[in-house]
Amino acid sequence: MSQTSPVPRRPAGALEASVLAALWAAEGPQTPAEVQCALGGLLARTTVTTILTRLYGKGTVARSRAGRGYVYSPIQDSAGLTARRMRSELDKQDDRGTALARFVSQLTTEDERLLRSLLDEADGTPGAGPGAGPGDGPGAGPGDGGGTDPGAAT
């Protein structure tokens, strides 16, 4: 009796990521069959339909009737989806300040500079120095200094 090695499992979320990539690459809304084709036909159409239905249930894709079935389109681009997921994780935390501080403490220097620049722009103070601007401090929202700015109010 010959032994065959088991087929390795895909990482969690890999199929959803593949389906989303196919939708982002498409010119417009796609049927499950079109998504299946874009993925190289390696998945059964029922599998693709299940994934699309789950993504619709999560609010990640929109769908509309097309004949007897549906066509699907992404609600956000990849960066928008990442931001939404980050926000969702943050919303689960009781201590947002600690969660944000730990997130910021793990950023590379380049990412920290980019984040500071984006926060400055959001405050309407482009080019302002680190920690500059009114509203810094506890409860100030996204510009609260993240716990790494020695000049921020506490």
Side-chain angles (χ1 to χ4, degrees), residues 65-143:
R65 276 275 182 205
R68 293 178 18 199
Y70 292 101
V71 290
Y72 297 84
S73 56
I75 291 178
Q76 297 175 313
D77 62 7
S78 178
L81 181 59
T82 299
R84 182 174 156 192
R85 287 177 175 162
M86 291 168 63
R87 176 63 187 260
S88 176
E89 289 302 314
L90 183 60
D91 287 346
K92 295 175 188 175
Q93 295 298 312
D94 292 329
D95 186 354
R96 296 170 72 91
T98 299
L100 285 169
R102 291 199 179 150
F103 173 75
V104 170
S105 72
Q106 295 177 20
L107 294 175
T108 63
T109 302
E110 182 179 325
D111 285 343
E112 186 175 347
R113 281 190 202 117
L114 176 59
L115 181 57
R116 285 183 189 280
S117 173
L118 292 169
L119 290 171
D120 288 343
E121 287 177 23
D123 285 342
T125 54
D136 287 343

Side-chain angles (χ1 to χ4, degrees), residues 4-28:
T4 58
S5 57
V7 176
R9 291 189 55 85
R10 292 179 187 92
L15 290 177
E16 287 185 358
S18 297
V19 168
L20 281 169
L23 289 173
W24 287 323
E27 295 291 321

Side-chain angles (χ1 to χ4, degrees), residues 43-77:
L43 298 173
R45 193 183 61 213
T46 54
T47 300
V48 174
T49 301
T50 298
I51 295 165
L52 287 165
T53 301
R54 289 179 180 167
L55 289 170
Y56 174 74
K58 293 177 181 182
T60 305
V61 300
R63 75 178 181 192
S64 57
R65 276 275 182 205
R68 293 178 18 199
Y70 292 101
V71 290
Y72 297 84
S73 56
I75 291 178
Q76 297 175 313
D77 62 7

